Amino acid sequence: DKPELILLDVMMPEMDGIEVCERLQASEETRPIPIIFVTARSSKEGKLEGLGVGAVDYITKPIDLDETLARVQTQLRFAAINREIIDLQRRLTESRRAATIGAVTQGIAHNLNNLLGVVIGYLDLIKAYADNPELVRKNAQNVEDAVQRIVVIIRQLGSLVVKTRLSVTKVSLQ
């Protein structure tokens, strides 16, 4: 499990807190975890270095427990608000995508309905003028033109689906 917040000492053996913070910030998975440095180094340069590598706060020793708790709670609230904002942005993107698909679908349905109305109208004219071969040919040509426009729309939809198809990747079920 990933921690919700890290209290990190700057001065540690083998690897100092600055390097640990840099490594955590370099990883996409751990970058969102807020880091608060806790250290005996109280120089302005030390604080700026710690904040510069990605820490969200810097507490100097000796620590005041109430102040530290308040800072931790504040950062946890910020993290929760950030997660909520990210979730809302994701949901907004999904809603916009669904609305766009809905609008495109309505437009396509409208065009196809119009073309089918044209086809039906010309078929009615063909029936009405069955005894006039010239009018039958003319109306049959109009039907064929409308059907060809329908075919073009359907082909365009087919090519759109192919272009937006997600790639398939094999993964282990383990």
Side-chain angles (χ1 to χ4, degrees):
D1 293 338
K2 289 189 297 187
E4 291 184 45
L5 181 134
I6 298 172
L7 290 173
L8 182 59
D9 199 335
V10 174
M11 295 182 287
M12 301 184 297
E14 296 181 34
M15 184 186 307
D16 68 11
I18 299 293
E19 186 178 346
V20 171
C21 185
E22 288 173 333
R23 287 187 182 192
L24 291 169
Q25 291 297 305
S27 168
E28 193 73 35
E29 189 174 324
T30 56
R31 185 176 305 126
I33 302 170
I35 299 169
I36 298 177
F37 277 126
V38 179
T39 185
R41 294 194 333 193
S42 60
S43 70
K44 180 179 178 180
E45 293 78 21
K47 290 179 183 180
L48 290 175
E49 181 183 21
L51 295 171
V53 295
V56 296
D57 205 348
Y58 196 97
I59 302 173
T60 56
K61 295 178 184 178
I63 64 169
D64 178 277
L65 193 55
D66 292 331
E67 179 186 350
T68 301
L69 186 58
R71 289 180 182 214
V72 166
Q73 289 172 337
T74 298
Q75 290 305 322
L76 290 175
R77 277 195 302 272
F78 283 152
I81 290 168
N82 260 349
R83 284 191 301 272
E84 190 174 325
I85 288 171
I86 289 168
D87 183 54
L88 287 172
Q89 287 173 334
R90 180 191 53 79
R91 289 175 32 209
L92 178 62
T93 300
E94 289 172 2
S95 294
R96 285 181 177 160
R97 184 176 298 131
T100 301
I101 290 170
V104 168
T105 302
Q106 281 183 324
I108 292 166
H110 178 75
N111 284 337
L112 290 176
N113 278 332
N114 285 345
L115 289 169
L116 287 173
V118 168
V119 168
I120 291 169
Y122 282 121
L123 287 174
D124 286 342
L125 286 174
I126 288 171
K127 289 178 198 173
Y129 298 111
D131 57 344
N132 185 337
E134 184 57 35
L135 283 176
V136 168
R137 265 193 296 282
K138 180 181 173 197
N139 290 324
Q141 184 60 51
N142 290 334
V143 168
E144 185 177 342
D145 293 344
V147 169
Q148 285 303 318
R149 288 196 304 251
I150 291 172
V151 168
V152 167
I153 290 172
I154 291 171
R155 281 191 186 136
Q156 288 172 341
L157 287 173
S159 68
L160 179 65
V161 170
V162 170
K163 289 177 186 173
T164 59
R165 186 170 289 153
L166 298 175
S167 61
V168 178
T169 306
K170 288 185 178 184
V171 294
S172 170
L173 292 178
Q174 298 290 334

